[in-house]
Amino acid sequence: MWLKPEEVLLKNALKLWATVKSNDYFILQRRRGYGEGSGGLAGLLVGTLDAVLDSTAKVAPFRILHQTPDSQVYWNIACGASEEEIAQHWEWLQQNIMRTLSVFDSSDDITSFVQGKIRGLIAEEGKVSLVQEDDPEKFREALLRFESWFSLPDKEKLVTYYSCSYWRGRVPCQGWLYLSTNFLCFYSYLLGNEVKLVISWVEISRLEKTSSVLLTESIRVCAGGEEHCFSMFLHLQQTFLLMEQLADYAVRRLIDKEMFPSDHILTDPLQITKRGLETHARNEAFRAFFRLPREENLLEVYESFLWLPFSYFNTLGKICVSENYLCFASQDGSQCHLIIPVREILSVEKPDRLSRALTVCMRGKRALRFSEVRDFERLAATIRKKCGNTASPQHSASCQALLECGEDEEGLMVGQRSSSKTVSTEALMNVFHPQDAENLDPKMLKEKMKEQSWQIHFAEYGRGTSMFCTRRTRDLIVRGVPESLRGELWMLFSGAVNDMATHPAHYSELVEASLGASSLATDEIERDLHRSLPDHPAFQSDTGISALRRVLTAYAYRNPKIGYCQAMNILASVLLLYAKEEEAFWLLVAVCERMLPDYFNRRIIGALVDQAVFEDLIREHLTQLTEHMTDLTFLSSVSLSWFLTLFISVLPIESAVNVVDCFFFDGIKAILQLGLATLDYNMDALLCCSDDTEAVTILNRFFDSVTNKDSPLPATVQQAPVGTNDRAAQRVDISDLIKEAYEKYGDIKSEEVESMRRRNKLYVIQTLEDTTRQNVVRVVAQEVRFSGPHMDELYVLFKRQHFLSCYWTAGSAALQHHDPSLPYLEQYQLGLAQFSSLLLLLQPWSPGAYTHTLARWTFRLIDDNHDGLVNFREFCRALDILYSGSFTEKLKFLFKLHLPPALTDSAVSKACQPSQSLPLGEEPPAFTRLTDGPDDGVIRRSPEKGRGKVDLQAYLKQWQDEIQKKEESIKDLPRIEQAQFILLSKTLYGLFHGDPEEEALFRAVARVTSLLLRMEEVGRRLQEDSQASTSPQSPSKTSPSLPQTSSPTKTSPSPPQTCSPSKTSVSPPKASSPTKTSASPPPTSNPAEAIAEQLEAVSVDPEALSPGQDPVSASEEAPSSPKASSDPPSPSSSGTLETETELANTPSEHTAPPSPQGMEWSFSFEQILASLLNEPVLVKFFEKPVDIQKQLDRAKRDQLKLKAQITK
């Protein structure tokens, strides 16, 4: 690697470098401690310094210095991790620089020329380099070390690196921590003790900051049941946040199969950088805080003061600018924030340059004054530019509607348009329970007072999207939102109003597009429609049911990844009560995609993560309960419905809507606070519980006792009991409970909750992955003979092999077409390439040229459903036979490999071509699957990704077939034909290659082949004799074994498929009548001669042998080639069995004529089995025990290395 020229004053400083080559202008040096003579004390010390210290001179073991004859100053211009790399640089200097330097007279000119040339080379490399870091020079050096030390595939992207200490017990190892896209790596070298660590991000279960007596601050990483502790970071918080981001990115991409289509920064894993991750995290935090659409990104930030008209003072904060919004958040503790859509800005004025002030004028006769704005002219220009670009078709309709509204800020905020007659434009509560303005009962009077309080708030703080949100707003929310304003405020605080404004007709288009669509999601929606608030009159009519159906179906169509999940119907039904239909849809979008991420999917990961956060908060705030209930998993199971339905399923509807009010304002924090308040309220009763059932009863009674005494809803709608006869039941008002929750636990910050979410997400996902592994292993273990620990290790290897196919590919087929609705067994599957690599690591026989071909046939054989993918069960069944099967089972497996569907016609025809033989190690073209499908090897079980209807009957039939499947008998196997038997023989020779008893095994196979040929010959002759005796008028009575060589009129109906006849050594049988002709089809030649021609190793004529003489012993008496006494070559080297020909046959000048294609011989499995059982050396070879643990350890060690070799 070329380096920016750096001055080196001492050529051999501290004797750390040894000169390898030198000339008048350049010196090539090797670092002591590397290469030859590196075992001394100096080598150990130098290696330790290289691992601990960070300087350019110690980056790589080789370097090139530039010097001039008249100067004592040297310049470091290149370094290399290997001798080959540095030799290439040296050679380039010799060929391109040396000749030019001779024309210069001045040493200064020579140095300037060399430096300019090297800088030019570095600049040229930088044009194609993907590295974009603050210090490219040091980063390139770190990248060189990373590639040299860890031998990962070239595509692995290094993100950043840090100097730190890794603790092995109580001993720290100073070294370097490397963070790449898919791995956490550490390297240390201290006095000859090398420490190398490679951990995949998707295997990490815990990532947290800790402190102890020895370590003030450290980062603890738990992966694979082991703990790793890193400390002594210069910027620990920055390092920890980046590690969290990389771990979360890997989990979302590889386990959740998220493709990041809207975030170009994370779309391609090969382009991930530290800066890109930081930008992504900053954008996510910005969108979450201001509840903005997912398309918004934080572009600019300005510090400024904002004039608060309701408080009459300036508050310090930051102005955040995105594509379509101008946002402000205070930093002085006033908890004031503001969102200004660019579409509502009319103009920007700069009234006072001395105070660097801006005035932003908005619709509705409102103006905001920002002062002390850094770079205020740039901000003003940015806002003016964005205001000029807002007249787009996307916003023009809404802007025109806003202008027509004038000062009607309610219409300004919502911007509702009815573009479809089928969409309901009224909230269901207004339809079924309109408020009576003349009703003056106490509850309605209190409702009017709430409305008046909010009207005063609107007058002081503004109304609509640009309303000031402060502590006063939260106080009003806690006291309760009036029924008439609930839908409007939900839209405002959730940010759904912005989604709807920027997508004016999106909902109507979705409704029309999803109309009549049929899928698994629509089936589930229809099933749950009448279970959604069944006691409410709105959902006892077709109006409410139809609106709920349209909202849920439109969302399933919009987001097929989620589709429809239970609890969405309950949430959507409540939203429809207080919001118009289109508003309810966008509220559902805000909840499912922003406020409750990963809640509504098959594994409800988001809810489980928040339950883990809830447990942490219980340990922190409710210590008495923690001490009494050591296992908090009970509370997790009880509280799951609290999080999934926002307490709607456990509280009466009139009380639950108050919880929803707080949720839309404060997010998940409000649910956590209310959960803590609920447990605190029932603390004494829970401490007296003796079992979980009693605790559940207490909580259920508590929720039944919660009422909303201020609810104006009629008794027909309210779900809480209205009777007062049960005096023992103490009533709890929901407003009091929420107020207590905010008073006791309101100090919980949203930032802390998000940090706890990130920390617990890894643990929750790994727990789910462990559960999946246990379920899969439990099912598969019943069908194989592996032990439990071996099954666990096999599953880890199988899963890692799946990930290896996704690590370095942005559009991996396994990621794009992953279907989370599949059963556990099919969550992780391998294609042909991944399966072949894993089988190469685990096969019980020594690898050879036959390996890839055998893996391809095995893949076809065990792919039961012919979808181009192999799951863990199919893989284990095959491996179990190879490892633990009996001789008969292994032979049957090999036998089936050479029959369809494992063996295709193309493989058979290639094996029989005489002119071009395909070596067994050569990879043939991709096989054609038995079912039509795409070329990437992945079946589309659900072509529309959630929209296509799943054939449940097919699944049930497949399960029934598996249950009723009986054990396959050897009598059920078809006979193996001529060409297939040729390939089986080649496979056997390939398996034996490299074995200590290779020659004995070769001879045994030759004897078995000869025996099978003689058996088939005898059977064929007996059959021909029987046919001749039953048909005496046959025009031809010649034995089929007679070689019709002298008949000039006899022709073959098709070109013969023979191997090279020059190598064939056959003694033709004695012919009785070589001149006999007939008009009937030509008779078949001797089957022994046919197999001789195909195998190029024909047995000696059985009739020429004396009784009891073995064909191999007869061949030993005949002259043989010198090759017979040497080690036989691999059969795959020529595609033939020449070695066996020379061992088993005698030379002959005669060759056998070709046989017609219509007459081929075949063998049954029983014949082959019986013949092989007569050879003890073969039986011993196949029944040799396999050290399974040794194979697994080798596979774990070499799995990543093999992938790196393949990619390189």
Side-chain angles (χ1 to χ4, degrees), residues 72 96 129 193 262 294 334 359 369 416 440-441 562 619 663 725 908 943 953 968 1055 1084 1112 1180:
Q72 296 299 319
N96 299 276
S129 175
N193 184 19
S262 61
R294 300 172 68 178
S334 61
T359 300
R369 186 176 187 276
Q416 171 72 36
L440 299 179
D441 62 12
I562 293 178
R619 294 186 183 95
F663 167 75
N725 295 331
V908 175
Q953 296 295 330
E968 185 180 40
T1084 306
V1112 175
K1180 178 181 177 182

Side-chain angles (χ1 to χ4, degrees), residues 285-340:
F286 167 68
R287 290 190 292 263
F289 183 84
F290 292 106
R291 309 281 171 79
L292 295 179
R294 300 172 68 178
E295 297 81 11
E296 299 299 314
N297 296 295
L298 180 59
L299 303 179
E300 299 175 3
V301 179
Y302 301 87
E303 279 193 1
S304 73
F305 286 89
L306 172 64
W307 173 254
L308 303 180
F310 49 87
S311 300
Y312 300 101
F313 72 89
N314 286 307
T315 181
L316 175 65
K318 289 186 177 181
I319 302 173
C320 302
V321 182
S322 68
E323 288 84 353
N324 300 297
Y325 296 89
L326 189 70
C327 306
F328 177 85
S330 65
Q331 294 180 293
D332 58 1
S334 61
Q335 298 182 1
C336 171
H337 66 270
L338 177 71
I339 302 172
I340 309 170

